Amino acid sequence: MSEKYIYDISEGDASMKAILGGKGAGVAEMMRLGVPVPDGFTVTTAACVETMNNDGQWPADLKSQIADGLKRFEKRTGRVLGGKDKPLLVSVRSGAVVSMPGMMDTILNLGISDDTVDAIAAEAGNERFAWDCYRRFIQMYGEVVEGVSSHLYEDALTAMKAAKGVEQDTDLSAEDLRQLVAEFKKISDEALGGSWTTDPVEQLNRAVDAVFRSWGNPRAEVYRKANNISRDLGTAVNVMQMVFGNRGETSATGVCFTRNPSTGDKGLYGEFLVNAQGEDVVAGIRTPRHLSEMEQVLPEAYHELLATMKRLEDHYKDMQDLEFTIENGKLYMLQTRNGKRTAAAALKIASDLVDEGVIDKTEALRRIEPSQLDQLLHPAIDPNHSASPVVKGLPASPGAAVGSIVFDADTAASLGERGEAVVLVRYETTPDDIHGVLQAQGILTAHGGMTSHAAVVARGFGKPCVAGATTIKIDPVAKNLVIGDRTYTEGEVITLNGSTGEVFGEALELIPPRINEDFQRVVTWADEVRTMGVRANADNFDDASKARELGAEGIGLCRTEHMFMAADRLPAVREMILAETPEQRAAALEKILPMQQNDFEGIFTAMKGLPVTVRLLDPPLHEFLPNQLDQALKVQQMELTGADPQSLAAERQTLAQVKKLHELNPMLGTRGCRLAMLYPEIPDMQARAIIRAALAVLEREGETVGVEIMIPLVGLETEITTQRGIVERAVEDELAKAGKHLDYTVGTMIELPRAALVANEIAKHADFFSFGTNDLTQTTLGISRDDAENGFLSHYVMDGVMERNPFESIDIDGVGQVVRIGVEKGRSTNEALKCGVCGEHGGDPDSIEFFQAVGLNYVSCSPFRVPIARFAAAKAAMGE
Ligand code: ADP
Ligand code: MG
Ligand code: MG
């Protein structure tokens, strides 16, 4: 026997989502429960997949299986599709496994034709109703299945209304509609060059095929890509008997939720329309009424609906999103599914259901989508606004920003520092814009995608960002921005919605983030379940405090670069670089030490009682020196203008150093501990600053942090032994001088494949490993992130060469295996080795699941992702 492609609705149940689709399984489950639903059958997702894989050819016996299914259906209902006597009318609905916008629109009233329209009119005792169904059907079927352009029908309808001197469709008489149907048929046949069919069975087959095709349309492809939905799932097709909400004043149609999907509150949430068919509610032609008013209009159906809502919610143990139709006072349910909800509602509903004894805490956690919680951590646009966006880009970093437009980072930084709200508008951002990004409320770029620099940086800082708004025109010189036909000048206020990509040409009202009671409560359940620690990456007091407030259990990565970059330190740093003897260098470092100590004291105060991993200096020295070309020009200028010999000599020396330190490929150059191998005075100074800060905080606050000193970019055993030696000598010396004792550990960052491969050697000298998965991804894949993201990577992801951007979610098969090897080999020689991850992957739920599987002790991510990581780690521990 060949595969079964057709299931009667009564044959299915909720567990059969994969083959019947979400809608099909939902309807079947309702029928099984005895909830009134119209009868029908479902064409399986497998039929769709096979058709797709076979260039659009149906499986051999699909057509005959549909014919058989239809025959059974006709027998059960006592009606015949296209029958002159008791005609059967059906709807044809698409229904994928996961509910998906962009699929084919539903066809209603299929089965109405010249042969059946009179019988339908007679049965309903309403001729106008029958002709109205007929004209709606031709329009829907013509547009959706046959691709007739909709304005042809609209024009004919408008012309008819004008001819009859009426405003509303509802004012047209049965006779008018009969004429309109004749007109519509002519239009359709002409548009299709004579291939228009009037046979309902043929129409049914074509409608099923159109649903299959809609699975492959570009809209659907884009949606699947954005939501990681596999193309192989296919969509099912549901064929159901029509029920009519448009049979008069005792008929109605509506949509309802068993709880409020934006707040999670209990209470009646829904809308209905009397004398209307399904699409009227959504289309907005008539304004629907609040569900509570139905009690007056249709009391019996109303109370049955309420009971059914409760029953379905109890059955699914979750908030349901329902569609219903009332035909002559009788209630039918047309759809049930777990309702989509905001993050705030998700937390409230989960928390309430636990209180109601419906689900337990574990199940509540299972219901929370960690990545969705992002919504809660940023100010949001008041949902009750009525503005429409002037342009839409990519939703690159969630949250809302209101501010006046500025076109360069310096202006953004200086205005922002003064407390003014600005939005930085750039063609694209570069690392040079960081200071502006930091001070801006949000970022709008014309170029770049979700992984562009602006997007990555914005997410890291929790700044809203709309990227890739390709149609806007920016003129940074004239300082204006053109969106559509309007020109905005610097200082005009706009609003960004980084959660949707919308840009508004005015200031919208913002509401504060809602880390509310529900959040606090549910996240503590997550903390009870998870086994991995969650830390944050933070380099200063503010970030560290924020991280702690959001539940970080320590700092997994404190970078020290910016402690060298700040304007007040650069002179001393340059002095150090230009030093000719170790003594001169040590003297320069002596000046930097107290400043670093001061920075560390801030962070340690914020984190007292918790561990802090401080990474010693990482980037190459040339980053602290001027750009080579600029410096050469400067020297030339001085030579020409006859500057005083002493300063000229100094500038020449700088130029010589810049040239000497120039590297062809700095990413693979004198970075990380390689720098410390050449200049041991640097780790020595840093270790001392760390210890002095820790002791000062201990003295002042009565407690201090767990000091963890991390050596960057180790690849050789000799590197770690040397560096550990330097650090230990400095620390012991400081402690001895202070006459104090302090526990501390020394570990390394694993960022090179070699380090993972020889982890058994390295681990002998390390107390901990922290996987720097950003660099590890670059070094394992051999790609530079900036070049890749501005270049081939988006094509790779778009064309499916790579499934996902490996910098967003860890490449499990490659980089993931390097991590696994590193952990296993490391622990083979050092059982107590603590392993963690720092870098953006530490805040990505899918990556976190993998890190749990390889046995990491903690993840560390940007402060704003800490709550997400707490939930994701809980789900990972639960084996989700
Ligand atoms: P969507 O996935 O876009 O919600 P649906 O197929 O659920 O598509 O529905 C489109 C509209 O058609 C809904 O309002 C639904 O209630 C209505 N509808 C679908 N099938 C029937 C039917 N058999 N009888 C009456 N209305 C129907
Ligand atoms: Mg629906
Ligand atoms: Mg690194």
Side-chain angles (χ1 to χ4, degrees):
M1 235 207 71
S2 74
E3 182 165 353
K4 182 171 162 68
Y5 295 118
I6 304 294
Y7 285 78
D8 299 345
I9 292 184
S10 60
E11 289 180 286
D13 63 45
S15 71
M16 293 163 75
K17 252 186 168 171
I19 50 169
L20 301 181
K23 204 176 281 169
V27 168
E29 184 74 3
M30 288 196 285
M31 184 176 275
R32 208 177 64 77
L33 293 172
V35 169
V37 289
D39 201 353
F41 61 83
T42 300
V43 184
T44 63
T45 54
C48 169
V49 172
E50 280 183 44
T51 303
M52 256 184 351
N53 293 344
N54 200 14
D55 290 331
Q57 289 291 313
W58 282 14
D61 59 347
L62 178 56
K63 197 165 172 185
S64 63
Q65 285 199 33
I66 291 179
D68 291 346
L70 180 61
K71 221 166 275 156
R72 291 194 300 273
F73 183 16
E74 290 175 334
K75 208 156 156 215
R76 292 195 300 274
T77 56
R79 293 173 175 274
V80 174
L81 189 70
K84 279 198 162 64
D85 201 12
K86 289 189 82 186
L88 175 66
L89 297 193
V90 299
S91 65
V92 181
R93 324 167 68 185
S94 63
V97 180
V98 261
S99 122
M100 224 181 83
M103 301 289 302
M104 194 188 86
D105 292 335
T106 295
I107 308 290
L108 301 178
N109 308 326
L110 191 145
I112 201 161
S113 67
D114 290 354
D115 290 340
T116 59
V117 64
D118 292 332
I120 292 159
E123 209 178 315
N126 185 342
E127 217 177 326
R128 191 189 174 283
F129 158 78
W131 285 101
D132 191 45
C133 286
Y134 197 0
R135 68 102 190 165
R136 284 172 190 253
F137 167 70
I138 299 179
Q139 184 167 357
M140 260 191 257
Y141 177 84
E143 263 176 59
V144 173
V145 176
E146 304 285 7
V148 179
S149 86
S150 62
H151 75 87
L152 294 176
Y153 298 116
E154 294 296 344
D155 291 350
L157 178 62
T158 311
M160 173 68 73
K161 282 193 284 191
K164 301 292 164 184
V166 300
E167 293 271 318
Q168 304 277 329
D169 301 6
T170 41
D171 296 332
L172 293 173
S173 69
E175 185 45 40
D176 299 339
L177 292 165
R178 185 200 299 269
Q179 281 178 35
L180 196 59
V181 163
E183 184 78 11
F184 274 14
K185 280 196 296 188
K186 211 171 104 222
I187 289 171
S188 312
D189 204 43
E190 273 168 17
L192 296 179
S195 67
W196 176 259
T197 176
T198 53
D199 170 15
V201 176
E202 176 58 20
Q203 286 172 344
L204 175 62
N205 284 320
R206 290 193 192 182
V208 169
D209 193 56
V211 174
F212 290 168
R213 277 184 274 128
S214 77
W215 180 253
N217 76 25
R219 253 194 330 180
E221 296 281 1
V222 167
Y223 185 85
R224 282 199 292 273
K225 190 113 261 170
N227 291 278
N228 282 314
I229 299 170
S230 163
R231 191 168 192 273
D232 304 333
L233 295 176
T235 178
V237 188
N238 303 290
V239 179
M240 287 177 81
Q241 182 170 9
M242 283 301 300
V243 287
F244 297 99
N246 54 341
R247 294 254 312 239
E249 296 305 307
T250 55
S251 299
T253 188
V255 179
C256 58
F257 288 80
T258 57
R259 297 176 193 233
N260 185 318
S262 24
T263 62
D265 291 338
K266 284 178 246 183
L268 214 48
Y269 191 96
E271 294 175 330
F272 78 108
L273 269 178
V274 169
N275 197 9
Q277 253 188 348
E279 76 272 19
D280 298 340
V281 178
V282 216
I285 306 166
R286 287 160 63 192
T287 310
R289 298 161 70 178
H290 192 267
L291 191 59
S292 57
E293 294 175 31
M294 205 170 99
E295 186 168 14
Q296 245 66 57
V297 194
L298 294 161
E300 251 173 72
Y302 174 77
H303 290 291
E304 195 186 341
L305 176 63
L306 255 50
T308 307
M309 285 166 78
K310 174 152 185 2
R311 173 140 186 237
L312 288 170
E313 187 183 279
D314 289 349
H315 179 70
Y316 282 102
K317 299 184 184 338
D318 199 359
M319 186 258 273
Q320 295 297 294
D321 167 1
L322 305 161
E323 286 172 9
F324 64 91
T325 285
I326 296 159
E327 179 177 324
N328 284 335
K330 175 155 177 39
L331 173 75
Y332 293 92
M333 301 309 295
L334 292 173
Q335 186 174 316
T336 188
R337 62 172 174 221
N338 293 339
K340 289 216 158 63
R341 60 205 79 182
T342 63
L347 290 164
K348 167 116 180 82
I349 292 170
S351 164
D352 284 352
L353 287 174
V354 169
D355 289 342
E356 291 162 28
V358 177
I359 57 173
D360 60 16
K361 291 179 189 176
T362 325
E363 180 56 27
L365 289 173
R366 205 165 270 141
R367 301 264 177 92
I368 307 288
E369 183 47 63
S371 53
Q372 203 197 7
L373 297 172
D374 231 18
Q375 283 176 14
L376 294 173
L377 304 166
H378 307 274
I381 290 172
D382 186 341
N384 299 316
H385 75 84
S386 56
S388 33
V390 290
V391 68
K392 218 174 154 200
L394 298 166
S397 178
V402 183
S404 40
I405 302 171
V406 295
F407 295 97
D408 66 285
D410 290 340
T411 312
S414 64
L415 291 179
E417 269 162 29
R418 274 195 262 141
E420 282 179 45
V422 296
V423 170
L424 179 60
V425 180
R426 302 280 289 156
Y427 184 64
E428 62 192 354
T429 70
T430 72
D432 295 339
D433 295 330
I434 295 276
H435 59 302
V437 170
L438 264 172
Q439 292 297 338
Q441 300 300 308
I443 300 101
L444 168 63
T445 70
H447 193 71
M450 307 276 287
T451 66
S452 62
H453 178 267
V456 172
V457 169
R459 284 196 294 271
F461 294 137
K463 298 267 177 198
C465 173
V466 174
T470 47
T471 58
I472 67 175
K473 291 187 191 66
I474 301 167
D475 187 338
V477 180
K479 292 190 188 289
N480 68 43
L481 159 71
V482 180
I483 305 179
D485 44 22
R486 209 187 126 185
T487 304
Y488 298 77
T489 50
E490 190 166 71
E492 279 188 71
V493 177
I494 59 171
T495 301
L496 308 181
N497 186 344
S499 315
T500 61
E502 290 168 324
V503 180
F504 299 88
E506 63 202 285
L508 298 189
E509 202 69 42
L510 294 193
I511 51 175
R514 297 212 270 182
I515 297 203
N516 52 20
E517 269 167 50
D518 300 312
F519 184 94
Q520 294 297 6
R521 180 166 185 228
V522 182
V523 81
T524 56
W525 299 343
D527 293 342
E528 286 163 19
V529 171
R530 69 185 159 85
T531 53
M532 275 192 296
V534 175
R535 297 189 184 189
N537 301 341
D539 308 339
N540 56 52
F541 177 81
D542 287 348
D543 285 356
S545 312
K546 186 86 213 158
R548 192 162 191 163
E549 182 192 317
L550 294 173
E553 298 158 314
I555 288 181
L557 176 63
C558 171
R559 302 177 187 86
T560 53
E561 284 77 83
H562 74 98
M563 300 180 187
F564 289 80
M565 301 267 189
D568 58 335
R569 308 175 187 188
L570 261 186
V573 172
R574 287 190 180 158
E575 201 180 311
M576 165 192 87
I577 297 169
L578 300 175
E580 271 157 20
T581 64
E583 291 70 31
Q584 281 175 8
R585 194 168 302 118
L589 284 164
E590 211 39 58
K591 294 184 194 161
I592 304 171
L593 191 150
M595 306 182 202
Q596 292 231 328
Q597 180 182 338
N598 195 41
D599 292 331
F600 290 130
E601 281 185 36
I603 297 163
F604 292 176
T605 306
M607 298 308 284
K608 59 183 187 250
L610 298 174
V612 174
T613 305
V614 180
R615 179 181 71 186
L616 303 183
L617 188 65
D618 187 357
L621 289 183
H622 73 83
E623 289 201 5
F624 302 106
L625 294 176
N627 169 289
Q628 184 170 335
L629 187 63
D630 292 346
Q631 187 65 19
L633 285 172
K634 187 171 183 182
V635 167
Q636 202 175 45
Q637 191 80 35
M638 288 173 88
E639 285 166 352
L640 287 174
T641 56
D644 82 278
Q646 209 183 334
S647 27
L648 179 60
E651 295 300 341
R652 277 185 178 145
Q653 194 199 3
T654 306
L655 179 60
Q657 273 294 346
V658 172
K659 282 185 179 159
K660 202 173 115 195
L661 292 171
H662 175 76
E663 290 179 321
L664 282 179
N665 203 336
M667 190 186 112
L668 303 175
T670 318
R671 292 185 49 195
C673 73
R674 296 165 196 161
L675 185 67
M677 295 297 281
L678 299 183
Y679 300 98
E681 303 82 8
I682 299 175
D684 175 88
M685 179 278 285
Q686 288 199 291
R688 290 177 192 276
I690 294 167
I691 292 304
R692 288 185 199 176
L695 290 176
V697 172
L698 179 63
E699 178 94 23
R700 196 168 57 228
E701 309 275 335
E703 63 176 336
T704 192
V705 296
V707 172
E708 303 178 340
I709 298 174
M710 177 152 79
I711 297 158
L713 210 84
V714 162
L716 307 163
E717 188 182 2
T718 41
E719 287 173 331
I720 184 148
T721 49
T722 310
Q723 290 299 314
R724 187 176 182 122
I726 296 168
V727 168
E728 278 181 345
R729 274 191 302 279
V731 171
E732 296 306 333
D733 184 44
E734 287 298 320
L735 291 177
K737 276 193 219 150
K740 293 267 162 57
H741 174 81
L742 196 71
D743 287 328
Y744 67 96
T745 58
V746 181
T748 178
M749 204 153 164
I750 304 288
E751 303 168 270
L752 298 170
R754 188 180 200 283
L757 295 173
V758 301
N760 47 327
E761 302 299 332
I762 292 175
K764 289 183 204 156
H765 318 284
D767 302 311
F768 61 88
F769 280 177
S770 177
F771 290 87
T773 48
N774 183 33
D775 269 318
L776 194 57
T777 299
Q778 300 200 86
T779 55
T780 300
L781 280 113
I783 60 184
S784 114
R785 179 173 189 167
D786 287 340
D787 294 325
E789 288 187 342
N790 289 324
F792 67 91
L793 198 54
S794 58
H795 295 280
Y796 265 38
V797 174
M798 204 64 92
D799 299 345
V801 179
M802 257 177 171
E803 213 170 314
R804 291 181 74 178
N805 178 340
F807 295 102
E808 278 176 3
S809 196
I810 195 154
D811 157 39
I812 290 179
D813 298 338
V815 182
Q817 295 321 302
V818 177
V819 173
R820 185 190 295 277
I821 290 167
V823 173
E824 283 168 5
K825 287 203 143 182
R827 289 195 178 138
S828 73
T829 53
N830 179 354
E831 230 178 291
L833 185 74
K834 193 163 62 169
C835 295
V837 62
C838 54
E840 268 194 271
H841 297 105
D844 168 61
D846 291 338
S847 307
I848 289 173
E849 190 183 331
F850 174 77
F851 296 140
Q852 172 88 23
V854 294
L856 293 194
N857 301 94
Y858 68 89
V859 297
S860 186
C861 56
S862 77
F864 288 98
R865 293 199 71 86
V866 164
I868 295 167
R870 287 161 77 190
F871 275 101
K875 296 190 87 155
M878 282 156 43
E880 293 284 297

